[in-house]
Amino acid sequence: MDSKKETRTQEPGTRQTKHRIAVIPGDGIGQEVIPQAVKVIRASGADVELTDFDWGADRYLLDQITVPPDGFAMLGRDFDAILVGAFGDLRVKTNIHAKEILLGMRFKMDLYANVRPVRLLDASLCPLKGVEPKDVDFVVLRENTEGVYTDAGGVFKQGTPDEIATQEDINTRKGVERIIRYAFQYCERHTKLDGSPRKTVLMCDKSNAMTHAGSLWQRVFKEVSGEYPQLTAQHMYVDALCMHMVRDPRQFDVIVTNNMFGDIITDLAAGLQGGLGMAASGNIHPGKTSMFEPVHGSAPSIAGKNLANPFGAILTAAMMLAHLGFSSEAARIEATVLEAIRQKKTTQDIGGPLGTREAGEWVATKVSRS
Ligand code: NAD
Ligand code: IPM
Ligand code: MN
């Protein structure tokens, strides 16, 4: 990736018909896995135009800019989708750049549905005994624009024995309702991998302790589920859900939850799929420019060593292509990743002998020939 590339804005009226994708590799292993995902996108033949952006820790440390002026408006105006790596760098202790870029995109572009599919591609990847791919095929829909992530709160009397820190959990009627409705619509419109219909929406909360926000989620869930009598509505407390997820993942179909619980349970769920290197996600607002990123972070301890698994990023690219209408290209990429796993053409975290680049190359070569 060319780290010197500057933010590009298009003149009004020069909008091309080709799908335009902004690519932001970010930090750490983001800079290793995203080039592999880009290689695979190109190999798929999807008619897209890719533009690199250098937003991330290096750029921030150079000029203190996290997001250039008008950056989010530019992404929304000039691009059809955004492909992101990860943000997080030990040199930026405050994590301010990650907050402003990643959470900035989610919040300021109003990407309210964080769609995190949980699919076991091959039984060998799952740490649970006797679990097959058909047993792990669910999706977590995480509210992505509010909750404890809004940064509401503050610190009072800092550094004194009387210090007080508050971190507010913001739940709006609009925010809760739209993610719950998204979950029911998702359930209605998507099938499982074996072609069978999805049937159950499970709302996960902690309403036994967090009673104010919990009550809102409970009431809205009851109300919206009434509009979908053909689907089953279920509820589980988040602590119990964690236990069930590792005891019997078969029972899950569509899970809808708040921002923070969604963050935590999707790392747990990534464990069922072969680890963080395998998990893909999309940050969606229907009809608006949406952003796609692997679930993992910048993994500083393995960064720069050609060790990172690129499949989460490659599967994320497939998710993005499907979102843009390139469903056959997306299906070919997914099938090739599965083939790579079966043939052990993978990185070490999932048992293969390859490096990041070699695993990406193997998939890209196969995809270009398929
Ligand atoms: P992490 O996801 O970076 O790493 C967790 C563990 O998973 C580590 O052991 C890592 O080596 C392993 N791992 C992650 N991705 C992998 C891959 N592709 N292949 C093989 N192994 C992989 O989470 P962390 O260590 O908690 O956080 C590191 C930094 O990343 C922090 O700064 C954090 O804030 C940031 N982060 C960013 C994002 C994001 O940008 N979306 C997501 C999570 C964490
Ligand atoms: C994720 C990450 C982010 C989150 C961090 C980096 C703020 O963990 O995308 O899952 O908590 O949403
Ligand atoms: Mn996370």
Side-chain angles (χ1 to χ4, degrees):
M1 293 278 144
D2 183 357
S3 61
K4 295 205 182 63
K5 271 223 172 97
E6 271 303 323
T7 301
R8 185 203 65 152
T9 47
Q10 279 184 344
E11 293 300 315
T14 60
R15 200 187 149 99
Q16 295 152 7
T17 48
K18 236 181 199 187
H19 286 288
R20 295 142 318 157
I21 299 170
V23 180
I24 315 179
D27 307 332
I29 63 167
Q31 295 184 7
E32 297 174 79
V33 297
I34 292 301
Q36 302 313 315
V38 164
K39 206 152 70 181
V40 173
I41 293 172
R42 292 196 199 286
S44 78
D47 192 18
V48 295
E49 182 188 288
L50 301 149
T51 306
D52 295 343
F53 290 90
D54 63 358
W55 304 2
D58 288 340
R59 164 86 187 260
Y60 173 68
L61 290 166
L62 211 62
D63 61 13
Q64 270 67 58
I65 292 178
T66 55
V67 179
D70 196 38
F72 297 125
M74 177 275 299
L75 288 176
R77 185 182 60 232
D78 295 345
F79 292 92
D80 300 299
I82 310 161
L83 180 65
V84 163
F87 300 96
D89 187 298
L90 299 172
R91 294 168 300 168
V92 186
K93 300 271 178 276
T94 55
N95 210 29
I96 180 75
H97 70 298
K99 209 159 139 187
E100 292 191 0
I101 302 170
L102 183 71
L103 300 184
M105 279 187 276
R106 292 179 185 168
F107 283 48
K108 297 200 171 142
M109 300 178 79
D110 203 27
L111 306 176
Y112 69 87
N114 193 336
V115 179
R116 297 189 157 185
V118 183
R119 295 162 17 180
L120 175 62
L121 295 183
D122 190 81
S124 66
L125 299 180
C126 189
L128 305 182
K129 289 188 296 251
V131 169
E132 297 173 38
K134 67 171 172 44
D135 301 326
V136 182
D137 181 6
F138 62 92
V139 62
V140 177
L141 302 174
R142 164 188 182 191
E143 201 295 317
N144 215 24
T145 54
E146 45 188 54
V148 293
Y149 279 69
T150 55
D151 223 12
V155 178
F156 182 50
K157 296 187 181 173
Q158 186 165 352
T160 75
D162 299 325
E163 182 162 353
I164 298 168
T166 61
Q167 195 84 45
E168 310 250 347
D169 183 12
I170 307 291
N171 297 262
T172 67
R173 167 82 201 194
K174 174 183 155 189
V176 174
E177 187 175 331
R178 67 182 178 175
I179 189 65
I180 288 178
R181 183 157 278 116
Y182 189 94
F184 280 96
Q185 286 171 354
Y186 186 100
C187 190
E188 239 186 355
R189 295 174 190 170
H190 290 78
T191 57
K192 293 196 162 206
L193 282 180
D194 65 8
S196 63
R198 294 204 176 272
K199 290 183 187 145
T200 305
V201 179
L202 182 151
M203 195 269 281
C204 159
D205 68 12
K206 188 66 192 167
S207 52
N208 48 355
M210 301 167 79
T211 49
H212 310 303
S215 155
L216 177 63
W217 278 79
Q218 289 281 345
R219 283 181 281 117
V220 174
F221 187 64
K222 191 160 180 230
E223 194 179 300
V224 176
S225 65
E227 297 169 25
Y228 296 84
Q230 73 284 17
L231 301 177
T232 305
Q234 282 182 358
H235 168 260
M236 214 176 256
Y237 296 122
V238 63
D239 44 358
L241 178 134
C242 290
M243 185 275 297
H244 285 293
M245 201 175 272
V246 296
R247 294 276 301 173
D248 181 15
R250 292 168 193 86
Q251 63 192 289
F252 297 110
D253 192 349
V254 176
I255 297 173
V256 61
T257 191
N258 71 19
N259 207 339
M260 187 154 132
F261 296 153
D263 177 46
I264 297 167
I265 66 174
T266 52
D267 265 33
L268 178 63
L272 301 174
Q273 298 167 269
L276 276 162
M278 293 300 298
S281 85
N283 298 259
I284 315 278
H285 184 128
K288 290 194 181 182
T289 301
S290 293
M291 185 265 279
F292 296 81
E293 48 162 352
V295 173
H296 65 72
S298 56
S301 66
I302 59 165
K305 298 179 178 162
N306 199 35
L307 287 172
N309 183 346
F311 289 175
I314 291 171
L315 293 167
T316 296
M319 202 175 162
M320 177 182 72
L321 290 179
H323 178 84
L324 293 174
F326 296 102
S327 8
S328 67
E329 287 82 353
R332 267 167 50 222
I333 294 171
E334 285 175 5
T336 309
V337 170
L338 176 57
E339 186 60 26
I341 293 163
R342 292 202 174 130
Q343 293 196 31
K344 289 253 180 288
K345 304 292 183 191
T346 76
T347 45
Q348 293 169 26
D349 55 306
I350 53 168
L354 302 184
T356 310
R357 282 188 297 276
E358 293 70 25
E361 190 63 41
W362 193 91
V363 173
T365 306
K366 279 266 170 187
V367 163
S368 67
R369 290 185 189 147
S370 60

